[in-house]
């Protein structure tokens, strides 16, 4: 499993996992004679991205979405055919459960050619009952880190526009969970890269991580876009952008 998320009622665990598929080897390759020392079999690569630094050759196949009972049992596969290209080399973030437990909201590369659009990711909703996939937000760039409000009516997410530059500031957006809803830029007045949004229990705003002048801090943003810093210097060491920053919030806030 590449990540896991426990359902709101604790009964199920969702996760993504690689479903391997054998590489298509051309027919007619000779078979080693009995007792002969033979060269290793040919490697057939059909993906543009077939190897990675530090990992070597990547296994063939695509990651799919599964659920399994928390008490144990057989995993049930929700997606098939690699249609969403979850995680694995494409920078997708873990999925989350909707508060009612009916569906999962996931970040995935939904393009026909994920190998050449590795930075692209969109938001999709996957119904747990039958695996039906519905696009939530599809637009050019990287859309990730979804967070659903406690009442289930709003979706916050981080988006990085595809500006053609080497780096573009991640911003926090908000949209209603209804048909034809349009996203609204929530962090227009906040000049720093935003990561890991999480709703406050009363739905009045969100907590998130942001780095400023080499120090990562915890911030609170109200739904009108106003911000308050909660904590500073959350880096795991004294170096700028030390990495390892994270936070967890209790149900009471």
């Amino acid at each position: 499993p590449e990540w896991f998320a426990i359902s709101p009622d604790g009964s199920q665990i969702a996760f993504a996992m690689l479903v391997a598929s054998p590489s298509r080897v051309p027919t007619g390759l000779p078979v080693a004679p009995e007792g002969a020392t033979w060269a290793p079999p040919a490697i057939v690569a059909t993906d543009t991205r077939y190897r990675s630094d530090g990992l070597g050759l990547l296994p063939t196949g695509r990651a799919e979405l599964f659920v399994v009972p928390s008490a144990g049992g057989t995993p049930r596969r929700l997606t098939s055919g690699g249609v969403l290209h979850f995680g694995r080399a494409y920078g997708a973030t873990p999925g989350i459960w909707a508060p009612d437990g009916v569906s999962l909201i996931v970040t995935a590369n939904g393009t026909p050619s994920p190998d050449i659009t590795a930075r692209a990711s969109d938001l999709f909703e996957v119904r747990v009952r039958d695996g039906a996939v519905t696009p939530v937000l599809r637009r050019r760039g990287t859309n990730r880190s979804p967070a659903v409000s406690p009442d289930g009516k709003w979706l916050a997410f981080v988006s990085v526009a595809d500006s053609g530059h080497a780096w573009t500031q991640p911003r926090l957006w908000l949209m209603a969970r209804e048909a034809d809803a349009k996203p609204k830029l929530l962090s227009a007045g906040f000049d720093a890269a935003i990561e890991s949004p999480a709703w406050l229990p009363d739905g009045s705003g969100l907590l998130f991580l942001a780095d400023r002048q080499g120090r990562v801090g915890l911030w609170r943003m109200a739904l009108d876009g106003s911000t308050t810093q909660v904590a500073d210097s959350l880096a795991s060491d004294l170096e700028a952008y030390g990495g390892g920053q994270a936070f967890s919030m209790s149900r009471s806030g």
Side-chain angles (χ1 to χ4, degrees), residues 4 20 35 52-53 64 81 115 129 141-142 153 155 160 177-178 191 193 201 206 215 227 229 232 237 249-250 253:
F4 70 90
S52 178
D53 288 342
E64 303 289 359
D115 287 330
R129 184 181 75 243
T142 301
K153 295 181 179 179
L155 176 69
V160 182
R177 292 186 66 212
E178 57 187 36
D191 188 21
L206 298 104
R215 295 197 307 272
T227 57
Q229 188 167 18
D232 193 14
D237 53 35
M249 181 167 43
S250 66

Side-chain angles (χ1 to χ4, degrees), residues 45-105:
T46 56
D47 291 328
T48 304
R49 194 170 186 172
Y50 67 94
R51 62 182 176 182
S52 178
D53 288 342
L55 297 176
L57 292 171
L58 298 174
T60 56
R62 289 285 183 260
E64 303 289 359
L65 193 62
F66 295 80
V67 291
V68 65
S70 297
T74 303
R76 178 168 61 90
R77 183 168 162 177
L78 297 183
T79 61
S80 61
V83 64
L84 292 183
H85 306 295
F86 293 105
R88 192 179 161 272
Y90 302 119
T93 52
I96 61 168
W97 288 85
D100 58 10
V102 171
S103 60
L104 291 147
I105 297 176

